[in-house]
Amino acid sequence: MVKLMYDSSQPHHYLSGSFAPVVDETPPCKDLPVKGHLPDCLNGEFVRVGPNPKFSPVAGYHCMIHGLRIKDGKATYVSRYVRTSRIKQEEFFGGAKFMKIGDLKGLFGLVMVHMQMLRAKLKVLDVSYGIGTANTALVYHHGKLLALQEADKPYVLKVLEDGDLQTLGMLDYDKRLAHSFTAHPKVDPVTGEMFTFGYSRTPPYITYRVISKDGFMHDPVPITVPEPIMMHDFAITGNYAIFMDLPLYFRPKDMVKKNTLIFTFDPTKKARFGILPRYAKDELLIKWFELPNCFIFHNANAWEEGDEVVLINCRIENPDLDMINGTVKEKLENFKNELYEMRFNMTTGVASQRKLSAAAVDFPKINESYTGRKQRFVYGAILDSIAKVTEIIKFDLHAEPEPGKEKLEVGGNIPGIFDLGPNRFGSEAIFVPREPGITSKEDDGYLIFFVHDEVTGKSAATVIDAKTMSTDPVAVVELPHRVPQGFHAFFVTEEQLQEQAKF
């Protein structure tokens, strides 16, 4: 029935061209050609995840993690599927059996929901170990590298000495984690704690958690919002956690009646931001603020200034998730993410915001030694009309944006842009400091990211100077095959790599 209703004749936007999956894993491929030099601070492993369906995408995107192991100026490439419960079951059947978020549209979406429920009830599928793909982002905490997707629990990965990647299994914090886990938890570089949340289609719609430096997950703190929402990210400061009740709602009735995706944006609702003392045992002390209607996929950072909490993010108006779902498009309408500063006065209750850039920029990253603390520089990815990364941009939050700018270019609060070149598209750039901590200059370090050339068909890992944003790369590592466009990346330091070997 599913195959009869599914239109496989149309090429999918995120399954074609440079987004197309690679089926085969790559075991460690050593001594790759390096143009330039790889600085000592890059000893470790650069890893990036993304959706990579192993089977015909009637349903289900899996996760392939691409890794670049760097040691003493030499580089090794590896790619492995994250061995989730989902992929193991689909390998057994030899095809896709689980639904994915993009299938949840119209009558077909309703059929997919009931089909998965029936398969679970008949024990064709085992959903007791989750249904997620772990394909969205990565974080390192308490000696563990975690692969994350917000509909499921984390999966623990281990980076081996030769750069190979091994899935150890799902992490439920000694059964204390019974809900989903965001793809964007925050690790406090000062305390070593990790702060996270999960969202749900049933109450409580948001659940907040604190995980100690030693890996103990504290009791859940339910956060009340009026109806189920998609909350992709949040933020922390030294004293607070910031939750975003933005009007992208889970509305299954609209999915069928209006032939929309199951998450629907409501342009009539305000954007709400809840600020809670980060060690609160309940939500009684949360303060809610309102700003004009918007959605935010990613925050850069947050901190406190006097009575105010400051939040830096990439803000978008009137998002339509269906624009990035389904068939290949020449252009994505309303895909206009802009860098914003938002301020929330904890004494007066007043909220304000100001635009810091033109469109379209996303995947904001900072020197993570400053997470939750005031910092100056934000790096981001400039996106073209179909959401491909064409340039890497640097923002200076101490400088004022040039008024009236309708294009992202050097000047004002933009000290540098690295252009990937014609027909070359990249991924999220990760900042790696030359020296760990905050004793050296904030932007003294490097940015590392993958680049794919659609003309030659070749991919590379590129390293640039984060301080100067010079057009001459510090290093370019040729990769043995194409690395598809993907989602988020992470850098595992040599110290972390050795630490996780103990677990």
Side-chain angles (χ1 to χ4, degrees):
M1 181 188 297
V2 173
K3 288 185 178 180
L4 287 174
M5 296 185 67
Y6 182 81
D7 183 6
S8 61
S9 64
Q10 297 294 324
H12 274 58
H13 181 69
Y14 285 122
L15 294 177
S16 61
S18 60
F19 293 101
V22 290
V23 176
D24 297 324
E25 296 179 315
T26 303
C29 185
K30 301 180 180 180
D31 298 323
L32 299 175
V34 179
K35 182 180 179 181
H37 76 285
L38 293 166
D40 289 344
C41 65
L42 291 180
N43 282 350
E45 183 141 359
F46 173 65
V47 282
R48 201 219 66 202
V49 292
N52 198 95
K54 190 172 184 178
F55 304 107
S56 178
V58 170
Y61 286 72
H62 303 117
C63 173
M64 184 168 280
I65 180 168
H66 302 266
L68 188 73
R69 172 70 165 120
I70 300 172
K71 186 73 176 285
D72 301 329
K74 295 183 178 181
T76 297
Y77 169 79
V78 62
S79 65
R80 296 292 187 190
Y81 284 104
V82 177
R83 306 291 301 162
T84 61
S85 172
R86 180 186 191 126
I87 195 173
K88 289 177 183 179
Q89 293 183 66
E90 293 189 331
E91 285 176 341
F92 175 80
F93 289 109
K97 297 295 180 185
F98 289 86
M99 64 185 180
K100 67 179 187 298
I101 186 69
D103 293 328
L104 300 181
K105 179 181 179 181
L107 182 60
F108 178 75
L110 183 64
V111 170
M112 289 302 299
V113 169
H114 286 284
M115 185 64 69
Q116 182 154 304
M117 291 171 62
L118 179 62
R119 286 169 172 167
K121 185 176 182 179
L122 297 176
K123 300 192 183 303
V124 175
L125 296 178
D126 181 0
V127 298
S128 62
Y129 289 93
I131 61 173
T133 56
N135 69 9
T136 308
L138 298 141
V139 71
Y140 182 91
H141 185 249
H142 186 231
K144 300 178 182 70
L145 178 64
L146 306 180
L148 307 168
Q149 189 232 357
E150 61 203 59
D152 208 350
K153 301 178 179 71
Y155 276 83
V156 182
L157 306 176
K158 187 172 185 178
V159 183
L160 305 182
E161 179 60 34
D162 64 354
D164 210 349
L165 296 157
Q166 178 183 5
T167 305
L168 299 183
M170 179 180 280
L171 179 64
D172 65 5
Y173 293 93
D174 296 324
K175 302 190 183 302
R176 293 184 63 80
L177 177 61
H179 53 77
S180 63
F181 191 103
T182 179
H184 294 295
K186 308 302 176 189
V187 176
D188 188 314
V190 177
T191 68
E193 297 161 306
M194 183 159 68
F195 300 82
T196 187
F197 71 93
Y199 66 81
S200 172
R201 65 181 185 274
T202 58
Y205 298 133
I206 303 293
T207 303
Y208 172 57
R209 307 300 288 266
V210 179
I211 304 169
S212 73
K213 180 181 180 179
D214 298 325
F216 176 77
M217 175 173 273
H218 291 278
D219 289 343
V221 179
I223 305 296
T224 302
V225 294
E227 59 180 299
I229 57 170
M230 175 187 283
M231 183 171 139
H232 186 65
D233 200 357
F234 83 139
I236 62 167
T237 70
N239 292 295
Y240 298 106
I242 305 170
F243 302 92
M244 304 189 297
D245 178 16
L246 308 177
L248 188 59
Y249 297 114
F250 178 82
R251 290 177 175 171
K253 290 183 180 179
D254 284 356
M255 176 186 75
V256 178
K257 291 180 178 179
K258 301 179 181 179
N259 194 34
T260 62
L261 282 174
I262 202 163
F263 282 98
T264 303
F265 188 76
D266 188 340
T268 68
K269 302 288 187 179
K270 294 276 191 178
R272 300 173 70 237
F273 298 82
I275 302 180
L276 179 73
R278 70 183 203 176
Y279 298 116
K281 302 301 183 183
D282 54 47
E283 64 173 339
L284 294 179
L285 294 178
I286 197 168
K287 290 188 176 182
W288 287 100
F289 298 81
E290 286 190 352
L291 283 172
N293 176 282
C294 72
F295 191 75
I296 296 163
F297 282 107
H298 301 118
N299 296 309
N301 198 20
W303 63 83
E304 299 157 43
E305 279 186 21
D307 293 336
E308 291 185 318
V309 171
V310 181
L311 177 65
I312 307 296
N313 54 49
C314 291
R315 178 185 182 273
I316 183 171
E317 294 185 3
N318 299 317
D320 178 5
L321 290 187
D322 202 29
M323 69 185 173
I324 53 175
N325 182 55
T327 56
V328 174
K329 302 171 179 65
E330 292 294 325
K331 184 179 180 181
L332 299 180
E333 299 295 335
N334 298 326
F335 199 82
K336 297 179 180 178
N337 308 45
E338 299 164 325
L339 193 70
Y340 263 72
E341 175 192 88
M342 297 177 176
R343 289 179 173 266
F344 309 98
N345 192 300
M346 299 298 289
T347 301
T348 66
V350 173
S352 62
Q353 65 181 24
R354 66 178 185 131
K355 189 169 80 168
L356 300 180
S357 83
V361 61
D362 210 322
F363 298 106
K365 301 300 293 185
I366 63 167
N367 179 338
E368 292 192 352
S369 296
Y370 291 82
T371 297
R373 276 77 186 172
K374 186 175 182 178
Q375 39 78 223
R376 179 174 179 178
F377 299 107
V378 174
Y379 301 91
I382 295 179
L383 309 175
D384 70 2
S385 60
I386 53 172
K388 291 182 179 178
V389 177
T390 59
E391 298 164 283
I392 305 298
I393 188 169
K394 178 180 182 179
F395 293 98
D396 182 352
L397 300 180
H398 288 186
E400 289 296 319
E402 289 188 348
K405 280 284 185 181
E406 296 184 0
K407 181 181 178 182
L408 292 164
E409 54 190 7
V410 174
N413 64 344
I414 303 176
I417 294 177
F418 183 86
D419 191 334
L420 304 186
N423 302 304
R424 292 166 59 85
F425 301 97
S427 59
E428 180 180 65
I430 298 298
F431 179 89
V432 181
R434 191 188 305 270
E435 298 288 342
I438 58 174
T439 55
S440 59
K441 290 189 176 180
E442 181 187 332
D443 62 345
D444 187 11
Y446 303 92
L447 297 171
I448 182 170
F449 49 93
F450 288 128
V451 177
H452 177 65
D453 190 315
E454 292 193 343
V455 174
T456 65
K458 294 182 178 180
S459 292
T462 300
V463 179
I464 64 174
D465 190 317
K467 182 182 288 186
T468 66
M469 297 295 288
S470 169
T471 56
D472 294 323
V474 174
V476 176
V477 181
E478 295 182 21
L479 302 179
H481 63 71
R482 180 175 65 87
V483 175
Q485 303 289 307
F487 293 146
H488 294 282
F490 190 81
F491 185 79
V492 184
T493 67
E494 188 69 24
E495 180 182 2
Q496 291 171 335
L497 193 151
Q498 300 304 325
E499 180 189 38
Q500 53 98 53
K502 302 173 186 176
F503 287 84

